[in-house]
Amino acid sequence: MMAEKIIIIDFGSQYTQLISRKIREHHIYCEITPYNKDFKLNSDIKGIILSGSPHSVTDKQAPYTDVSRLAETAPVLGICYGAQLIAQQCGGEVFPSRNREFGKSQLFIEVRDSLLKGISDYSTVWMSHSDSIQSLSDNIEVIAKTDHISVAAFKTKKFRNPVYGLQFHPEVTHTEDGQKVLATFLIKICGCKQAFIPSLFIEDSVEKIKKQTGNKKVVMAISGGVDSTVAATLIHKAIGQNLHCIFVDNGLLRKHEFEEVLDGYKSIGLNVKGIDAKNRFYQELTGITDPEKKRKIIGGLFIDIFEEEAKKIKNVRFLGQGTIYPDVIESVSESGPSVTIKSHHNVGGLPDRMDLELIEPLRFLFKDEVRRIGRSLNLPDKFLKRHPFPGPGLGIRILGAISPEKVRILQEADHIYMELLKETGEYDKIWQAGAVLLPVQSVGVMGDKRTYEYTIALRAVTSEDAMTADWADLPRELLAKISNAIINLVRGVNRVVYDVSSKPPATIEWE
């Protein structure tokens, strides 16, 4: 059973999820908890990390946690804001920096303490702070500095367990020895055994789901995507036919997707019911052009249909979801200061009247980790290698108003795009691809006739976890082949363009 873990207390930093990823690269399990949520301190917690924050510890309403309480349980490492919070609570003073540091700095080691063991002088570190620790109490020792600040790293023996502070960010790639520093804290100081492997995660998740559900039933919407498929398989492994899956055809799926996904789920033994609701969605979406309104309508109607079907199942007490961590980051302000980028189909939206308790076994995992869990569950590649697909489906890849005819056009174009990517081996090299139908028509010539038809935009990106993404540099010959096939075979299209924007500033989806 997987027991030991690292807890990251999140004060709203943009780097919090990156800290989590870097910890898991050492095969150590970690969980993120907002600073304002209570959690149990027990022997399973091997170490605690305090994140950075967009706030200043000098603010009247600054995010706060009691470091002495945490240090009674396990070693603590504060990063940026977390380090300043530790220093402040140990009697030090934090003020706005005379010389703010944003970017690379050179680290000078003052004390060869265990945390910085093996780190060379002049090692490059990444700074991002406008406050600095100006004075320290006697119980804190400086172990590193930079040209600009006198306290870049420190330790204190004031508490029962070791407590360290880093003004720089060890989790970013710009910090040359950042992974060494994290490894030292996790393995040498916290004593983690590096035992976070898929089989243990599965065993632990199954045990938790069994304990949580008892003999009650779970209802779950599934989409054919990696996240919902892996989550459903985990829940099925725990409770078998007590899991009731519902797959809704909203009329905005890819070509042949409804039938193919249903067949695939039945082949792996899931208890699934397919619902054809295309016409209901088309009717509700008539004339709607605003992207957020489309998302809300699609999500709201989906919930209505899902609720109708769920009520037909007796003794249901739980709702399963394939929520993963990037869903949470983009949709919900867990700790207060982050901004919602877009509403997400997996996060929120559950009506109170359903009165169901959530089961989200993948909530703190990233996409690549979910795929590793899926491989350990022996799921077919057609599920695991499938590109991410938005919950609202083609509804947000049809810019402007949606109609059955526009859905047909986009389904045909997207199908050609996907098949050619797969035939050439490019599909598995990229993170996500899809076609977008633009709400503009342009002049073209086909044969001897003038045409006035739609434009298809092709999108393909490379990424590790969808938090950032770069446009995929597909071969020019392949793009020409895709464009030619779409224009020749899809009635209603006479122009194809390729999107070469990255995230940020763009998003992966156009809406």
Side-chain angles (χ1 to χ4, degrees), residues 9-11 33-39 63-65 333-337:
I9 297 181
D10 182 21
F11 296 105
T33 183
Y35 74 92
N36 52 5
K37 278 190 178 180
D38 290 331
F39 63 95
Y64 176 86
T65 191
S333 178
E334 287 243 22
S335 53

Side-chain angles (χ1 to χ4, degrees), residues 15 102-105 124-128 167-169 172 174-175:
Y15 296 128
F102 295 100
K104 296 179 180 179
S105 290
T124 298
V125 296
W126 184 261
M127 295 285 187
S128 179
Q167 187 62 75
F168 60 89
H169 288 270
V172 302
H174 304 297
T175 297

Side-chain angles (χ1 to χ4, degrees), residues 296 299-300 303-304 319 321 344-352 354:
K296 296 294 185 184
I303 289 173
D304 290 343
L319 173 71
Q321 288 203 108
H344 197 280
H345 63 288
N346 269 349
V347 183
L350 178 67
D352 293 336
M354 289 186 72

